[in-house]
Amino acid sequence: MDERDEPDGPRRDVWATGAAYERYMGRWSRLVAEEFVPRSADAADGLRWLDVGCGTGALSAAVAARRRPRLVVGVDRSPGFAATARASARPSAPQHFVVADAMCLPATDEAFDAAVSGLALNFLPDPAAAVAEMARVVRPGGLVAAYVWDYAEGMGLLRRFWDAARRVDPSAAALDEGRRFPLCQPEPLRAAWAGAGLADVRVAAIEVPTVFADFADLWAPFLAGQGPAPTYTAALSPAARTRLRDALGAAVPRGPDGSVALTARAWAVSGRRPPRTRPARRSGGRRPA
């Protein structure tokens, strides 16, 4: 996941520490990545992959494990995330991670067979330009694909969090990711891919279980300051934070053993860079008079 510029300006503190992100969202990101890779790619081995906004390396790891790639390059603006991805990669895997901007990819035209992105696109300052940049670096016929959380309805953890936050603090509505990220729905995603000139555009849902051992397991990551919701929580006064915790605790279902079982839905979008068009061959005959 890229170190992102939030829509209201740079927020370098939001995405920085790989270990904290792993506990907050990384464990669920890995489940989605494992579902996304078989759906979005053809069966060929030996391809060159670019993971844009690679974060802690969940998607890169899934590609390396499932697609026997020739090369996987992950780029992320967060040095902390890139370091975590690098440290967690299998030594034998052909993976490389670099600190770079998703809006200006450090690659020549047509350098990769596939450019993919996981849970990052909506955090970029100009998602449409980022998709066009991904299309630039893949060969004709190459894959451009991504997935984002369905913040508005399908990401149960964050939907319940922001609903609880609004109940105790109406001003939190302005920070709700379901409101802030209209891109994260099928039609806007489809339009972004079509706008980049990509063909055979498809959008599909991916759902994964998000099961917490107990409410403390669910609540603790919101105190780590990694991501919009934890950043909001960390900025609250102790009393306001307690009110939010209690409201969220009352809103989530609990099993007999105290576990909290939710689901998370992501929208996956894919398309292909069209083949080059060849100029029509001129006839060798004489032009008509």
Side-chain angles (χ1 to χ4, degrees):
M1 188 169 300
D2 207 14
E3 183 189 28
R4 300 148 175 87
D5 287 343
E6 296 285 337
D8 55 352
R11 294 294 298 275
R12 306 290 185 186
D13 56 326
V14 173
W15 305 106
T17 307
Y21 174 79
E22 280 294 303
R23 187 173 183 195
Y24 170 52
M25 201 61 70
R27 47 183 166 171
W28 318 126
S29 172
R30 292 182 185 280
L31 295 180
V32 178
E34 289 169 4
E35 294 290 327
F36 169 80
V37 170
R39 296 182 186 208
S40 62
D42 57 40
D45 294 337
L47 300 184
R48 301 159 299 173
W49 293 74
L50 180 67
D51 181 1
V52 178
C54 65
T56 55
L59 181 50
S60 291
V63 170
R66 291 175 174 266
R67 288 294 166 185
R68 297 170 63 181
R70 174 183 172 188
L71 174 69
V72 182
V73 176
V75 299
D76 201 289
R77 282 185 60 185
S78 167
F81 277 11
T84 299
R86 196 177 296 118
S88 62
R90 291 184 293 117
S92 60
Q95 295 175 254
H96 303 277
F97 296 95
V98 297
V99 178
D101 190 344
M103 303 300 299
C104 186
L105 295 171
T108 58
D109 295 356
E110 305 180 13
F112 292 90
D113 301 296
V116 293
S117 181
L119 306 180
L121 193 64
N122 53 289
F123 288 100
L124 300 175
D126 188 345
V131 178
E133 182 70 350
M134 292 170 70
R136 176 186 68 81
V137 301
V138 300
R139 60 170 172 78
L143 175 74
V144 178
Y147 55 92
V148 294
W149 289 128
D150 178 5
Y151 293 102
E153 298 179 5
M155 211 301 175
L157 171 64
L158 292 178
R159 185 68 272 134
R160 283 170 170 78
F161 175 90
W162 289 116
D163 288 348
R166 289 204 318 272
R167 284 195 292 273
V168 300
D169 173 18
S171 68
L175 303 175
D176 185 335
E177 289 148 291
R179 175 178 175 177
R180 290 171 56 208
F181 300 138
L183 173 72
C184 300
Q185 290 293 312
E187 289 313 308
L189 289 169
R190 197 185 307 277
W193 256 242
L198 296 165
D200 191 23
V201 178
R202 302 178 185 182
V203 179
I206 298 175
E207 284 199 1
V208 296
T210 54
V211 181
F212 301 87
D214 50 30
F215 181 72
D217 184 34
L218 181 151
W219 173 249
F222 285 110
L223 306 177
Q226 291 293 296
T231 299
Y232 166 78
T233 304
L236 295 174
S237 69
R241 197 176 302 128
T242 297
R243 289 195 295 272
L244 173 58
R245 182 198 64 199
D246 292 346
L248 180 58
V252 298
R254 307 193 198 203
D257 60 353
S259 63
V260 179
L262 302 173
T263 59
R265 180 168 65 208
W267 291 113
V269 56
S270 65
R272 297 221 172 241
R273 181 171 172 176
R276 292 191 189 91
T277 56
R278 296 181 179 179
R281 301 180 72 176
R282 293 184 179 179
S283 171
R286 181 179 297 176
R287 287 187 179 182

